[in-house]
Amino acid sequence: MGQFFGKPEFATPEGAYSWQHMLHVSISLIIAIVMAIVLGRKNRNKDMATKNKVLIWTAFIMHTVETMRIFIGIGASYNGMSWLWELPFFLCSMQFITIPIAALGKGKLKEAALDYVFVFGFLSCTFGTFGAAHFYNTYPVLSYYNIFSNITHTMSGFAALYIVISGMQSMKKNTMYWVMGILLAVCAVALVINSTGDYNYMFLKRDDGTPYFIYYNLVKGNPVLYPMLVIGTFLVYIVAFYAVYHWIVSKAKKKKQQAKD
């Protein structure tokens, strides 16, 4: 329990990409993939209300676990304002906003949220589990921070896989602009918050050890060019994801038609 809560202090971290790190996230991902396949196939031909129930439970579990992580962190730091560093304005944590909208929303907003989770869920899951070098260099694997963070990031991947297997995604070309709009709105909020203190939401102020260090070094930390490059990369990723998706769907339809002929 001392290692879990860090009282009086955390044990020495096993380190990023240690076998403990890899085993921890691999087990979680296997469970998530299996559950997404089973539940997705089970609900594929069900009505939308039935499909939504899985996303509602996903959102509930994610928010419960994340709230616990934040409150434990506040207690550990003895700083009641530390929650200001935990707002859902990172690319990964945006799923705390979009998954509930995907489950409970209506119309075009629901379609956009479903597509957003599908587009960014796998990316958030990968970067927050296998790519979480900073977390596993700071906290031991069996600490509240890494266990809870692993659960929430893994569930982003689960939600994305469940959405596509159950057939909830729309992936309409005009919905892509809504997905871009959601992203740009959050980036705008992140830029405003970052300007008020030493915050770095969406990593738009500095790279902090992320792959964005390439951009940061390229423009020498220019406060205008650096965030433009990061945001531009997000938008290119969205366009590329939609393009690859429609290419795969088109190829599948052609093969199916050829098999009939």
Side-chain angles (χ1 to χ4, degrees):
M1 294 302 288
Q3 177 168 313
F4 184 82
F5 289 109
K7 298 293 184 179
E9 61 183 16
F10 286 111
T12 302
E14 295 86 353
Y17 310 114
S18 62
W19 70 264
Q20 294 94 333
H21 171 194
M22 294 292 98
L23 179 62
H24 181 218
V25 300
S26 295
I27 290 173
S28 300
L29 285 172
I30 290 171
I31 294 172
I33 291 170
V34 170
M35 289 185 66
I37 292 172
V38 171
L39 292 172
R41 289 172 62 89
K42 177 183 177 182
N43 292 339
R44 185 167 183 83
N45 297 318
K46 300 289 182 63
D47 55 52
M48 187 60 74
T50 302
K51 295 179 180 181
N52 284 339
K53 289 179 182 178
V54 174
L55 292 181
I56 291 171
W57 275 104
T58 302
F60 175 77
I61 294 171
M62 289 180 69
H63 278 270
T64 300
V65 171
E66 183 68 2
T67 300
M68 290 170 61
R69 186 183 69 79
I70 292 173
F71 274 97
I72 293 173
I74 291 173
S77 65
Y78 303 104
N79 180 1
M81 299 304 291
S82 60
W83 63 270
L84 290 172
W85 296 85
E86 305 288 353
L87 298 175
F89 296 122
F90 285 108
L91 192 63
C92 296
S93 55
M94 271 193 65
Q95 304 295 342
F96 294 113
I97 300 173
T98 52
I99 290 178
I101 295 175
L104 302 172
K106 302 290 184 182
K108 186 60 70 174
L109 184 60
K110 180 182 181 68
E111 285 187 351
L114 284 167
D115 281 6
Y116 187 97
V117 176
F118 177 41
V119 170
F120 284 106
F122 300 114
L123 191 66
S124 300
C125 178
T126 303
F127 277 94
T129 54
F130 288 109
H134 176 68
F135 297 157
Y136 288 89
N137 281 332
T138 306
Y139 305 99
V141 169
L142 296 180
S143 65
Y144 81 90
Y145 198 99
N146 279 331
I147 290 175
F148 289 176
S149 178
N150 184 48
I151 290 172
T152 55
H153 284 94
T154 299
M155 293 193 78
S156 293
F158 161 81
L161 186 57
Y162 170 78
I163 285 170
V164 69
I165 292 177
S166 64
M168 297 181 76
Q169 81 284 4
S170 71
M171 295 302 286
K172 299 174 184 175
K173 292 182 179 179
N174 62 341
T175 307
M176 179 179 70
Y177 299 111
W178 281 72
V179 173
M180 288 181 172
I182 293 173
L183 178 73
L184 290 174
V186 173
C187 285
V189 174
L191 285 169
V192 172
I193 296 175
N194 290 347
S195 68
T196 65
D198 191 34
Y199 306 109
N200 190 27
Y201 286 109
M202 297 292 280
F203 299 106
L204 295 179
K205 181 178 285 186
R206 55 186 180 275
D207 63 273
D208 278 356
T210 65
Y212 303 133
F213 77 87
I214 298 173
Y215 294 154
Y216 195 84
N217 292 338
L218 179 66
V219 299
K220 298 179 180 179
N222 185 286
V224 176
L225 294 178
Y226 169 69
M228 287 179 63
L229 285 172
V230 174
I231 295 172
T233 300
F234 295 153
L235 298 178
V236 169
Y237 172 78
I238 293 172
V239 173
F241 194 100
Y242 271 79
V244 171
Y245 173 86
H246 284 287
W247 178 79
I248 292 173
V249 170
S250 176
K251 294 286 287 185
K253 286 182 178 178
K254 286 182 180 178
K255 285 186 177 181
K256 194 173 182 179
Q257 185 61 42
Q258 288 174 355
K260 287 182 177 180
D261 295 339

